[in-house]
Amino acid sequence: MAPTTSGDKTAPVNTLPPSPDPLLLPVRDPRARDLVLDYAEMHALVADLVLPGGASMYVMSALETSRELIRHSYYRYEFATVAVTHSLFALEHVLAERLATNESLHVLIERATDAGLITAELAVELDRSRLLRDRLTQGAASSAALRPIRAVAMLRAVFDAVSLLLRPPSEAEATDPDVGGAQLEGGLARLWEDHLRALFPDGFRGVDFDGVDLVLLDADVAGLVQRELKGGLDGSGITYLWGCIADLDKIVPLINEEYCASYFAKLRTMAQVAAAPYVPTAT
């Protein structure tokens, strides 16, 4: 670097000759060859990831960065996984603000689900993202854990959750079908009818997760819900039902098959509605 001598107070001039190598342009990651034909098609892949209105600059920045990481996974496959984990910054921030509490992301997702702010199915997808982040932190997974297509679906769940959480409280309450005693009772009957029509997941009979047998758990919840609909649960029934809910909280995030995860997420919602009349009111 040779300083200027003319009294000019600008930065010193670099007198070294330019590099003989041309600037290298990014090339498609070979692992993305079956994803899209060219980079232009990545735009369509993320087109429905629309930034929610009313979000803070922090949340908007985190979500937009996550979306762009998906787009650029065309050049670097690992960006897809990073996109999902980065989006959790926005999710955790919005959850903490809406619930007015600073707890772990797992607890925040549970609280939002119990409050009817997000659906049980959405909570399952969000918890998968959280578990992935934890596995990355523990060194149990690599940054190439997700295919971009799967990452888009997980990122879409975060976008959807943030949009729901940013709704005004009055609007969220107005659209919650399980608010109030009469609505809780009607909601439970409707959930029970839906459950009777649902088929138990193929291939999961005799399967257990973390020591919890899926068939037995399904039967236990069904029996308790029937008792609640027919006249109410006694003290032992209430205790048993909360034990089933704890088991569902534990196993639902561990289920990797989509239909099975949805089936048991809905079972958990039904169990929560059945237990709702027995939650002590705040004083």
Side-chain angles (χ1 to χ4, degrees):
M1 302 289 287
T4 57
T5 58
S6 61
D8 187 358
K9 299 186 183 299
T10 57
V13 176
N14 185 352
T15 58
L16 294 176
S19 170
D21 297 326
L23 179 65
L24 294 177
L25 296 175
V27 296
R28 179 174 63 176
D29 190 310
R31 292 169 292 180
R33 63 183 177 275
D34 298 326
L35 181 62
V36 292
L37 292 177
D38 54 32
Y39 177 70
E41 291 191 6
M42 294 298 293
H43 306 323
L45 197 63
V46 299
D48 65 340
L49 296 177
V50 180
L51 297 174
S56 67
M57 288 301 296
Y58 173 83
V59 172
M60 295 277 277
S61 175
L63 292 180
E64 186 173 23
T65 298
S66 299
R67 184 182 64 193
E68 294 309 301
L69 283 166
I70 291 284
R71 198 194 307 269
H72 287 86
S73 64
Y74 179 85
Y75 298 119
R76 182 67 182 180
Y77 195 81
E78 284 81 358
F79 285 176
T81 300
V82 178
V84 172
T85 56
H86 187 81
S87 72
L88 296 182
F89 292 131
L91 175 66
E92 193 162 4
H93 182 82
V94 173
L95 280 168
E97 279 198 340
R98 183 63 188 271
L99 298 169
T101 181
N102 288 313
E103 297 183 88
S104 69
L105 182 56
H106 177 56
V107 173
L108 290 172
I109 293 171
E110 282 188 345
R111 287 187 180 275
T113 309
D114 294 343
L117 298 175
I118 58 176
T119 65
E121 291 83 1
L122 192 55
V124 170
E125 195 69 8
L126 296 175
D127 217 39
R128 285 200 182 104
S129 297
R130 178 194 64 83
L131 287 169
L132 172 63
R133 183 190 66 179
D134 292 349
R135 290 173 59 219
L136 286 165
T137 302
Q138 297 158 6
S142 76
S143 295
L146 293 178
R147 296 183 66 247
I149 293 293
R150 181 66 183 122
V152 169
M154 295 173 77
L155 190 56
R156 186 179 295 112
V158 174
F159 271 68
D160 290 347
V162 170
S163 294
L164 289 172
L165 292 163
L166 289 174
R167 292 187 304 173
S170 57
E171 182 184 341
E173 290 165 5
T175 56
D176 184 3
D178 297 321
V179 174
Q183 288 173 309
L184 280 170
E185 184 178 348
L188 181 59
R190 186 175 62 254
L191 291 169
W192 174 243
E193 291 172 2
D194 291 343
H195 180 71
L196 290 176
R197 288 193 293 268
L199 297 175
F200 190 88
D202 285 340
F204 284 87
R205 296 186 184 279
V207 174
D208 71 82
F209 283 88
D210 203 8
V212 178
D213 185 282
L214 297 187
V215 171
L216 291 179
L217 180 58
D218 181 46
D220 288 343
V221 172
L224 291 163
V225 168
Q226 279 187 300
R227 286 166 57 187
E228 173 61 18
L229 287 170
K230 289 178 178 178
L233 294 169
D234 57 16
S236 62
I238 296 166
T239 300
Y240 196 12
L241 180 58
W242 281 112
C244 290
I245 292 171
D247 284 341
L248 286 163
D249 287 343
K250 180 169 62 172
I251 63 102
V252 168
L254 303 177
I255 302 173
N256 292 323
E257 200 276 327
E258 185 174 356
Y259 176 77
C260 186
S262 174
Y263 181 93
F264 280 93
K266 291 175 181 176
L267 188 70
R268 183 189 183 280
T269 298
M270 184 171 67
Q272 282 286 131
V273 173
Y278 307 103
V279 178
T281 57
T283 56

